[in-house]
Amino acid sequence: MKKVERLLAEKLLKISAIILQLDNPFTWASGWNSPIYTDNRKTLSYPEIRSFIKVELTRIILESFKDVDVVAGVATGAIAQGALVADLLGVPYVYVRSTPKDHGLENLIEGNIKPGQRVVVIEDLISTGKSSLKAVEAIRSAGGVVVGMVALFTYGFPVAEDNFSKAGVKLVTLSNYNAMIEAALATHYIKESDVDTLKEWRKDPANWVPRKL
C-alpha cells in the first residue's frame, strides 16, 4: 500500500499543482531559479483531492496534537483548507494575514483567539518557513498557544528545519520533496537522469544554476 505522502504527491503532479521544468526553470519571487513550482490552491477545484487532503490533515492533527481549541489557516493558500479542517474537527477557525488589513480594525488575525487557547496552524506549502512562522508569531502575540503546524507539502530545505526548531514549532507535513521525486519517476513525469538535478537544487536553491540544453 502506498503511503499518504506518495499518494498526495501523485495527485499534486496529476493536476499540475506541482509542475517540474528542469530545462526551463521558474524564477521565484525571491529571485531563486527553480525546477519546481507549487500551487496547492488548485486542489480546491478537485472535490476528491480536496476531500482527501481535508481528511488526512484532520487525521494528522488528531494523531499528533491533543486538545486543539482552534484551527488557524495561513493566508492565502491555506485559508480554505484550514476552514475545511476546522469544520471537520468542529472547532473555531481563524486565519492569519501576511500583513495587517490597511483599513477598519487593521486586523492581522481574522476571527477570535482567546488567551491560552491551543492552536494548530494549517499551511499549504513550506519553503524556508519564514512566512509560516510569522503567522505563529501573530498567534502567540494574541495569546494563543501554538501546539504545532500541519502542511500539505514541504521542500525539505535544511533552513526550514532550523527555523522551525528555533521557533519551537512542531511541523508535520502530508507530503514532501522526496516523495514527489519518487512519484514523478514512477509516473514517468521525469527520467532517472533528472533526479540528480532535482536533488542538487534542493541542496542550495539560492545558488542553483540551471543545466544547459
Side-chain angles (χ1 to χ4, degrees):
M1 178 180 287
K2 293 179 183 177
K3 294 183 178 180
V4 169
E5 61 184 20
R6 172 71 177 274
L7 282 171
L8 180 56
E10 289 179 358
K11 294 176 188 294
L12 296 177
L13 287 164
K14 185 175 182 180
I15 65 171
S16 297
I18 291 179
I19 300 175
L20 299 175
Q21 293 183 179
L22 283 75
D23 295 321
N24 184 27
F26 302 95
T27 301
W28 285 5
S30 61
W32 292 359
N33 290 311
S34 171
I36 181 172
Y37 184 77
T38 305
D39 182 4
N40 291 325
R41 296 174 183 83
K42 289 188 176 182
T43 61
L44 298 171
S45 297
Y46 299 84
E48 182 182 346
I49 297 175
R50 184 179 68 216
S51 181
F52 174 83
I53 290 171
K54 173 184 68 176
V55 169
E56 290 302 324
L57 286 173
T58 302
R59 176 187 60 79
I60 283 184
I61 291 170
L62 292 172
E63 290 179 355
S64 303
F65 308 106
K66 293 183 178 180
D67 304 319
V68 172
D69 299 314
V70 179
V71 169
V74 180
T76 59
I79 290 178
Q81 293 294 355
L84 291 168
V85 170
D87 190 59
L88 193 56
L89 286 171
V91 300
Y93 175 67
V94 303
Y95 70 85
V96 186
R97 295 174 174 272
S98 56
T99 56
K101 193 161 54 175
D102 60 4
H103 61 279
L105 297 177
E106 300 182 349
N107 294 335
L108 181 57
I109 298 175
E110 298 292 357
N112 296 319
I113 294 178
K114 298 176 183 178
Q117 284 188 313
R118 294 169 59 82
V119 183
V120 65
V121 183
I122 305 291
E123 181 63 288
D124 70 321
L125 176 67
I126 304 296
S127 53
T128 64
K130 289 183 178 179
S131 60
S132 305
L133 290 170
K134 284 183 180 179
V136 170
E137 292 175 10
I139 293 167
R140 287 173 170 169
S141 295
V145 178
V146 176
V147 297
M149 183 178 295
V150 182
L152 271 67
F153 187 85
T154 179
Y155 293 118
F157 296 142
V159 65
E161 296 177 5
D162 290 342
N163 286 335
F164 275 89
S165 177
K166 290 175 182 176
V169 178
K170 179 180 179 180
L171 173 66
V172 186
T173 63
L174 289 186
S175 192
N176 55 68
Y177 194 73
N178 287 338
M180 182 278 300
I181 291 177
E182 292 176 6
L185 266 177
T187 56
H188 306 293
Y189 191 112
I190 61 172
K191 304 182 293 294
E192 187 72 43
S193 57
D194 295 326
V195 173
D196 286 344
T197 301
L198 289 168
K199 289 183 176 180
E200 283 299 318
W201 170 78
R202 186 175 59 178
K203 287 180 182 177
D204 189 9
N207 298 300
W208 180 72
V209 178
R211 64 190 185 187
K212 295 181 180 180
L213 294 175

